[in-house]
Amino acid sequence: MSEQIPPQWSNFYLKDVSFVNLMMRRIYNVLIVANPYDAFMLEDDGRVEEKIYNEYMELGLRYPPTFTQVSTTEEAARVLSTVDIDLVICMPGNADNDAFDVARAVKAEFPGIHCVVLTPFSHGITQRIQHEDLSIFDYVFCWLGNTNLILSIIKLMEDKMNIDHDIREVGVQMILLVEDSIRFYSSILPNLYGYILTQSRNFATEALTRHDASLRQRGRPKVVLARTYDEAWEIYQRYKDNCLGVISDVRFPINNNVERKEKTSAKDPEAGLKLLRAIRKEDEYLPLILESSESDNREKAEAEGFRFVDKNSKKMSVDLRHLLEEHMGFGDFIFRDPTTHEEVMRIHSLKELQDNIFKIPRDSMLYHVSRNHVSRWLTARAIFPVSTFLKGITWHKLQDVDMHRQIIFDAIVAYRRMRNVGVVALFDRHKFDRYAHFARIGDGSLGGKGRGLAFLDNIIKRHPDFNGFPNATVQIPKTVVLCTDVFDSFMEQNNLYQIALSDAPDEEILHAFLHAQLPDAFIPDFFAFFEATRSPIAVRSSSLLEDSHYQPFAGIYSTYMIPCLEDKYEMLRMLACAVKAVYASVYYRDSKAYMAATSNVIDQEKMAVILQQVTGKDYGGRFYPNISGVLRSLNYYPIGEEKAEEGIASLALGLGKYIVDGGQTLRVCPFHPHQVLQMSELKMALRETQTQFYALDMQHVGEDFKVDDGFNILKLQVKEAEADGSLQYIASTYSPDDQAIYDGAYEEGRKIVSFCGVLKQEVFPLPELLQMAMRYGAEAMRRPVEIEFAVNLNSDRTGELYLLQIRPIVDTKQMLEEDLASIPDERCLLRSHNSLGHGISDDVTDVVYVKTDADFTAKDNPAIAGEIEQINRRFLDAGRNYVLIGPGRWGSSDSWLGIPVKWPHISAARVIVEEGLEHYRVDPSQGTHFFQNLTSFGVGYFTINPYRHDGFYQRSALDALPAVDETAHVRHVRFSRPLKIMMDGKKQEGVVLMPGI
């Protein structure tokens, strides 16, 4: 179908509108000029302000005005000199004209103030008004004792004050009321405004947040009152492109001198008919309503296709409301049978229209489309981007019902997607579908990761060039956040604080949390989320402190993944367990140690939980993306033409947990995608590229939730991805016969994960998109950033880039003036030419180092990790720091590549040194959460390979010192005076100077 739609209607761009700047000019202060009796009648025992306030609250309006009453010129002058008055209401009394005299005096001194006359309806008053010059007043109204007339006067004045700006700003609509009878428009305006304001409160339900709902009400149609033909025609010509409809009397003056003292203009008995005929010639679709107290005008109106309302009818206001509903788009959209005019379908919301557009009977669809009813209904609901687009696609231009259906559907989908991006909506299970985006459950905080996701979403929305590539989309995954208040109530209702704050083992804490109960009210919400995502779900921590600007808690708490199951109740059970397990991780031993290291108090920490669609595809029970990555806007290891400010990305096949766990990744600068060090030499490519990857086990269903959040993650060989067919565009092939590597995945030969199709062959614009993400992210945060992402690649060379998280990299500002390269080696305990970090430290006296003697073997690395954890605890207890030196990659999940510690196990270290041994070729392990913690705490990270003269340290100096503590594999020594640690982050040079030298 979409191939047949003309390109001007199939390739379109909807621009969102903001309601923030609408209705900026308001009536805040009202001065009532009246004699005491009239003032009392208006006050009705002194309660007019209370009644107006109640009217505002019932209609969901803000900013109710305040009222001040005076009866003399002196009193008015005193008020006007001290208060900013926006509107003067003048009530002439029965005995004299003092109020008019006061009003004229006010207008003479303050000509810009709006003035209206509010008069009781009596023969005497009417006679006197006929001989008064009313030109100084904006309007004259008849006081019938109802306070909603005051509200209507205020809204009519505000509409008049704001209409030009608001139409220019977003294209708000106008209803033109043409009526010269004071008594009648004083009666009809409260009914009309009451209905419009109620309608605006109803269509505000289309909003995604409460704040947005209140702002959307500003987009309601405005009412403009005209009292002559000339005035009405002038208003229509000015606003005809934004006219929602016209309601006109039949008999009124033609020209504009009706307001003068001398009445020279007689009423034309067919002025209304003439006006509507003229308007119909310009707009064949505009709803035109004629109202008259002369019953023979009904035939004249209906003969020309105008709707008619009888002023004499006791249910005139009901009749008018029905016409507004039927023809101006108010209320529900009622699809009718064109022959019988019976209702065939009723639509309450935009999503309902989207869901049912293809179910509406063809003849009913034709009837409404040919009359532009869909566009008008959307306009009345302030959905201006879609209504404006559809308004131009008339039946004259496109006479195909099915194409109209498809265009309407596509436009609604595009609008809903656009509206969802960059907004954290309140979760509504009736609205959250596959086109929804980001929502929250609860009123608390989103937590650190939640805030980062919302910020990323906002960055994408503010930079449409992210989606400027025809074969790529950029977005965040579908996300729902359980806010921190949900955590608070969960902890309190299940009485979990006692065990949580105890010294109980992690497994015991997890067991207690898993047996607690989440509120049953969430069950339908979770089912709606399952239906919208139809994919595995990551359950991620998002604590208040996590990923904050200065104390990032990256990688400290748990992230679980649950598979997408046919049995939604089993999936619900797993999701509930995962949420509770993430809550439990706040109180694990490592978390408490980390809190101590950061001088935070554990009971101040609160947890939000992110439920997020997992990026990837299902490959026969294994779920993973083609590419996962971590992007950093600062490159501490620039090589060749790379610059530090051009950033660095670590890419891997499969789930991003592989990168976090310190797995082998491909290092690439987005500005130099063709220069990949690991692919520059054959031996290096074979040795230092990815051989394993992580995938979610879609078959693992059980009750064995563990402290280890990777219990259902599969660690697979790359050759298994080859069997899945997921290596297209990301693999090269090694030919042993030719001793060469060829771009592309061919049948014979070992596959090398090189991402060549993306980096070299431009199959997918990942380098360009990463450049944008890095630039816009760093600009928005005003500091260097780290961004996690994942990519799905499709066989047709299209793909989706999902931005998963953004964190600031806190840059140390310490000044370093000395050239570290000029410092002689003999002054140094340790020197690295490949260091991470910047600044100076001179308060560390301790060194903890692994004894890498001839009998060292990597099989002891797990035991070494335990020994270091014990030593680190003692440092935390004493409030001291140390230099840590050891072989291989710190924090690697593969103990054969390094010592498998977690950050809390080494959190007291001030400098961490990776020592390369003869059989340990060491590359800096950028791919772990250590990077974030290092930069935040100002910890140095050095890489040395003494065996190839790449840095050194004086091991003999350490061996000569007595041991403060010594285990089978680790030795702790202390100098009598502090070491001096110096790091140059720009040049990647780092030294630890011997004390006293």
Side-chain angles (χ1 to χ4, degrees):
M1 174 60 65
S2 60
E3 293 80 18
Q4 303 170 11
I5 296 174
Q8 68 267 32
W9 297 320
S10 59
N11 300 320
F12 57 88
Y13 173 71
L14 298 180
K15 184 179 180 181
D16 198 7
V17 298
S18 171
F19 298 93
V20 172
N21 295 322
L22 302 188
M23 297 295 290
M24 297 300 287
R25 302 177 65 191
R26 293 186 178 273
I27 302 293
Y28 293 106
N29 295 297
V30 179
L31 175 65
I32 299 176
V33 182
N35 63 43
Y37 174 77
D38 291 328
F40 178 80
M41 184 178 67
L42 176 65
E43 284 281 14
D44 189 16
D45 298 329
R47 295 189 301 117
V48 67
E49 194 159 351
E50 178 186 340
K51 288 182 178 180
I52 291 293
Y53 178 82
N54 291 339
E55 291 273 358
Y56 268 64
M57 294 303 104
E58 286 175 15
L59 290 167
L61 301 175
R62 297 183 177 185
Y63 316 114
T66 58
F67 294 85
T68 305
Q69 298 176 10
V70 298
S71 57
T72 67
T73 305
E74 292 77 15
E75 290 174 334
R78 189 162 55 249
V79 171
L80 289 166
S81 64
T82 57
V83 180
D84 290 330
I85 295 296
D86 305 301
L87 173 65
V88 176
I89 297 178
C90 169
M91 293 188 68
N94 289 313
D96 53 53
N97 290 330
D98 286 346
F100 281 105
D101 295 338
V102 172
R104 289 192 187 94
V106 168
K107 289 293 287 187
E109 190 172 350
F110 302 95
I113 290 183
H114 297 287
C115 280
V116 300
V117 174
L118 187 63
T119 173
F121 193 80
S122 70
H123 182 72
I125 293 291
T126 305
Q127 289 294 110
R128 198 170 78 239
I129 285 179
Q130 289 181 353
H131 299 287
E132 288 289 340
D133 179 8
L134 304 179
S135 61
I136 64 169
F137 299 103
D138 292 85
Y139 300 103
V140 179
F141 292 95
C142 178
W143 173 243
L144 303 175
N146 55 334
T147 51
N148 57 4
L149 175 61
I150 305 290
L151 184 147
S152 301
I153 292 171
I154 292 168
K155 290 301 158 190
L156 184 69
M157 298 304 303
E158 289 180 344
D159 284 355
K160 186 177 181 180
M161 294 156 59
N162 290 285
I163 186 168
D164 287 313
H165 171 271
D166 291 0
I167 284 179
R168 286 195 309 270
E169 188 80 6
V170 302
V172 296
Q173 299 296 290
M174 175 268 296
I175 295 176
L176 175 59
L177 174 63
V178 189
E179 177 61 71
D180 72 321
S181 167
I182 295 174
R183 185 169 188 180
F184 187 75
Y185 68 63
S186 297
S187 173
I188 193 175
L189 276 172
N191 290 326
L192 185 58
Y193 267 112
Y195 188 54
I196 289 173
L197 293 171
T198 301
Q199 158 80 0
S200 72
R201 188 168 54 177
N202 292 337
F203 73 58
T205 58
E206 299 285 359
L208 299 173
T209 65
R210 293 190 187 101
H211 179 60
D212 188 34
S214 67
L215 291 179
R216 286 185 70 83
Q217 294 187 59
R218 301 182 185 181
R220 64 164 176 81
K222 301 188 183 302
V223 177
V224 180
L225 175 63
R227 288 151 293 187
T228 69
Y229 182 100
D230 290 347
E231 185 183 9
W233 185 250
E234 179 189 352
I235 292 169
Y236 173 75
Q237 286 297 320
R238 190 185 311 164
Y239 305 124
K240 62 183 178 181
D241 291 336
N242 296 86
C243 187
L244 192 62
V246 179
I247 304 169
S248 177
D249 188 18
V250 177
R251 184 186 297 270
F252 50 83
I254 293 293
N255 57 32
N256 280 331
N257 58 5
V258 67
E259 294 296 323
R260 302 296 178 185
K261 184 174 181 178
E262 299 82 11
K263 298 294 189 284
T264 60
S265 177
K267 294 187 179 184
D268 188 317
E270 291 197 348
L273 287 165
K274 292 176 182 177
L275 175 66
L276 298 193
R277 287 177 194 137
I279 292 174
R280 177 59 74 223
K281 286 182 181 179
E282 297 214 359
D283 191 333
E284 63 177 308
Y285 300 112
L286 191 67
L288 304 175
I289 300 173
L290 204 66
E291 31 99 357
S292 174
S293 56
E294 302 170 50
S295 56
D296 24 337
N297 281 324
R298 178 184 291 275
E299 291 184 16
K300 295 178 183 178
E302 293 177 350
E304 302 199 40
F306 308 142
R307 307 294 165 181
F308 184 80
V309 175
D310 188 349
K311 284 185 178 181
N312 296 319
S313 172
K314 291 183 179 179
K315 59 184 186 68
M316 185 238 168
S317 61
V318 176
D319 295 338
L320 181 60
R321 189 179 74 229
H322 287 163
L323 288 176
L324 292 174
E325 288 179 351
E326 187 78 16
H327 301 286
M328 289 195 192
F330 284 35
D332 299 337
F333 195 122
I334 302 172
F335 283 92
R336 297 190 181 277
D337 184 304
T339 306
T340 65
H341 213 60
E342 291 182 356
E343 178 180 328
V344 296
M345 186 176 291
R346 182 179 290 262
I347 299 297
H348 302 86
S349 67
L350 188 66
K351 184 176 181 298
E352 278 193 25
L353 181 60
Q354 171 192 310
D355 293 341
N356 292 283
I357 192 70
F358 296 106
K359 302 175 185 176
I360 299 162
R362 184 182 182 84
D363 53 348
S364 178
M365 192 72 195
L366 172 60
Y367 172 78
H368 292 286
V369 166
S370 63
R371 290 162 175 78
N372 246 20
H373 287 173
V374 176
S375 172
R376 186 166 297 111
W377 184 72
L378 295 169
T379 299
R381 300 178 75 81
I383 304 174
F384 300 126
V386 183
S387 64
T388 303
F389 172 64
L390 296 179
K391 184 178 181 180
I393 310 173
T394 63
W395 185 250
H396 299 303
K397 296 179 181 178
L398 183 65
Q399 298 186 4
D400 186 307
V401 172
D402 290 334
M403 282 192 184
H404 274 279
R405 290 185 204 268
Q406 189 66 50
I407 290 171
I408 292 169
F409 178 83
D410 292 344
I412 293 173
V413 167
Y415 173 78
R416 291 189 63 217
R417 280 178 169 157
M418 172 193 69
R419 287 285 300 140
N420 275 279
V421 174
V423 177
V424 183
L426 276 173
F427 187 86
D428 183 340
R429 69 182 72 115
H430 303 296
K431 291 182 182 178
F432 199 92
D433 60 7
R434 66 194 184 98
Y435 303 109
H437 197 59
F438 195 139
R440 61 181 172 87
I441 296 174
D443 294 317
S445 170
L446 299 175
K449 284 182 183 172
R451 290 191 299 266
L453 268 170
F455 189 64
L456 266 178
D457 202 25
N458 186 260
I459 290 173
I460 294 170
K461 183 171 187 173
R462 287 189 287 110
H463 298 283
D465 46 336
F466 266 120
N467 286 292
F469 295 91
N471 65 332
T473 60
V474 181
Q475 59 197 298
I476 67 168
K478 284 193 191 336
T479 301
V480 169
V481 180
L482 300 179
C483 294
T484 53
D485 57 321
V486 177
F487 171 78
D488 289 340
S489 60
F490 171 80
M491 294 294 295
E492 291 171 6
Q493 291 171 11
N494 291 282
N495 298 315
L496 290 169
Y497 280 113
Q498 183 173 354
I499 187 169
L501 296 173
S502 71
D503 292 328
D506 294 350
E507 290 76 10
E508 189 175 326
I509 291 174
L510 175 61
H511 183 267
F513 273 69
L514 291 177
H515 282 78
Q517 185 71 34
L518 285 169
D520 289 342
F522 293 159
I523 292 175
D525 293 340
F526 291 159
F527 279 151
F529 186 61
F530 294 162
E531 181 63 26
T533 55
R534 298 186 181 183
S535 78
I537 294 173
V539 183
R540 308 176 66 191
S541 64
S542 182
S543 77
L544 282 182
L545 299 175
E546 200 165 11
D547 298 343
S548 69
H549 271 37
Y550 302 105
Q551 295 185 15
F553 276 47
I556 297 304
Y557 303 127
S558 298
T559 296
Y560 291 90
M561 290 188 181
I562 63 169
C564 182
L565 305 174
E566 289 294 327
D567 184 349
K568 297 307 175 190
Y569 283 94
E570 177 60 22
M571 194 171 174
L572 176 70
R573 187 194 64 76
M574 292 189 71
L575 178 71
C577 287
V579 170
K580 291 181 281 190
V582 170
Y583 283 161
S585 69
V586 175
Y587 301 100
Y588 288 169
R589 186 173 61 182
D590 287 350
S591 305
K592 291 171 181 173
Y594 194 89
M595 293 292 286
T598 55
S599 301
N600 284 289
V601 181
I602 189 71
D603 58 5
Q604 291 179 342
E605 180 68 305
K606 297 182 185 297
M607 180 68 75
V609 170
I610 296 172
L611 311 181
Q612 190 174 70
Q613 174 186 8
V614 178
T615 303
K617 298 177 183 177
D618 189 354
Y619 298 98
R622 300 191 289 252
F623 194 94
Y624 58 93
N626 301 98
I627 306 173
S628 287
V630 176
L631 172 69
R632 301 189 184 93
S633 62
L634 272 183
N635 181 3
Y636 284 98
Y637 308 94
I639 57 173
E641 298 176 1
E642 297 171 359
K643 299 176 182 177
E645 61 273 14
E646 289 177 332
I648 194 72
S650 297
L651 307 180
L653 164 70
L655 296 174
K657 180 177 171 60
Y658 177 82
I659 304 175
V660 172
D661 284 352
Q664 183 66 261
T665 62
L666 196 79
R667 171 197 181 281
V668 62
C669 173
F671 287 87
H672 305 279
H674 295 259
Q675 300 176 14
V676 180
L677 177 66
Q678 290 148 279
M679 296 300 298
S680 61
E681 298 178 4
L682 177 62
K683 290 183 179 179
M684 190 182 297
L686 294 175
R687 184 180 63 241
E688 298 188 13
T689 54
Q690 189 175 357
T691 58
Q692 296 176 320
F693 70 100
Y694 286 172
L696 174 62
D697 185 355
M698 298 285 280
Q699 313 298 327
H700 188 105
V701 179
E703 300 188 9
D704 54 343
F705 265 76
K706 301 175 181 176
V707 172
D708 177 11
D709 55 13
F711 72 93
N712 60 347
I713 302 298
L714 301 172
K715 190 173 186 179
L716 306 170
Q717 300 297 314
V718 167
K719 62 183 178 181
E720 295 184 66
E722 181 182 359
D724 292 339
S726 61
L727 296 182
Q728 186 180 20
Y729 305 135
I730 67 168
S732 298
T733 304
Y734 166 62
S735 171
D737 295 336
D738 300 339
Q739 286 293 294
I741 296 174
Y742 299 97
D743 292 341
Y746 303 107
E747 288 188 12
E748 300 297 329
R750 173 185 158 185
K751 303 304 177 290
I752 307 294
V753 181
S754 64
F755 303 100
C756 55
V758 170
L759 300 179
K760 295 170 63 177
Q761 298 166 350
E762 301 179 353
V763 169
F764 182 78
L766 183 62
E768 294 84 353
L769 293 173
L770 294 184
Q771 291 176 30
M772 288 185 198
M774 197 161 48
R775 181 169 70 253
Y776 295 142
E779 285 176 359
M781 280 201 164
R782 303 292 193 271
R783 66 188 66 229
V785 293
E786 177 179 272
I787 298 173
E788 297 175 18
F789 62 90
V791 179
N792 282 341
L793 294 176
N794 306 314
S795 58
D796 61 356
R797 301 170 76 95
T798 62
E800 303 86 37
L801 169 61
Y802 291 90
L803 302 182
L804 306 178
Q805 185 55 21
I806 186 169
R807 288 185 285 268
I809 299 173
V810 182
D811 195 13
T812 307
K813 301 297 183 184
Q814 296 180 19
M815 297 299 293
L816 182 70
E817 297 179 355
E818 191 169 356
D819 181 7
L820 302 189
S822 66
I823 298 175
D825 286 351
E826 54 267 21
R827 292 184 57 194
C828 300
L829 170 67
L830 187 148
R831 180 193 293 278
S832 171
H833 303 301
N834 194 356
S835 71
L836 169 64
H838 187 86
I840 303 172
S841 176
D842 57 4
D843 59 352
V844 174
T845 58
D846 297 83
V847 178
V848 175
Y849 63 102
V850 178
K851 295 184 283 187
T852 52
D853 301 318
D855 57 350
F856 168 78
T857 172
K859 72 177 182 179
D860 294 329
N861 282 351
I864 295 173
E867 294 170 15
I868 290 174
E869 179 187 3
Q870 296 296 326
I871 294 172
N872 188 73
R873 283 191 185 181
R874 288 193 281 274
F875 274 97
L876 290 175
D877 292 340
R880 300 174 67 93
N881 299 108
Y882 59 94
V883 175
L884 176 63
I885 306 172
R889 296 179 176 176
W890 288 105
S892 175
S893 60
D894 186 343
S895 61
W896 291 99
L897 294 178
I899 298 169
V901 291
K902 293 184 178 181
W903 176 253
H905 304 158
I906 56 173
S907 56
R910 183 67 59 83
V911 173
I912 301 169
V913 183
E914 289 186 345
E915 177 191 6
L917 304 179
E918 191 68 35
H919 303 293
Y920 259 50
R921 183 184 178 91
V922 177
D923 287 319
S925 54
Q926 286 182 303
T928 71
H929 279 313
F930 282 4
F931 185 93
Q932 177 72 355
N933 297 310
L934 298 175
T935 55
S936 299
F937 295 126
V939 176
Y941 202 82
F942 293 3
T943 299
I944 59 173
N945 290 285
Y947 68 94
R948 63 181 187 190
H949 308 293
D950 176 17
F952 76 95
Y953 87 100
Q954 295 189 39
R955 167 73 182 274
S956 58
L958 300 179
D959 290 341
L961 290 172
V964 177
D965 192 1
E966 188 165 4
T967 66
H969 308 95
V970 181
R971 197 163 186 266
H972 168 204
V973 298
R974 179 171 294 158
F975 287 88
S976 58
R977 285 180 291 175
L979 301 162
K980 188 172 185 179
I981 301 165
M982 305 174 72
M983 298 174 286
D984 187 334
K986 295 292 184 182
K987 298 179 181 178
Q988 287 80 51
E989 290 284 339
V991 296
V992 177
L993 300 184
M994 295 285 285
I997 297 180

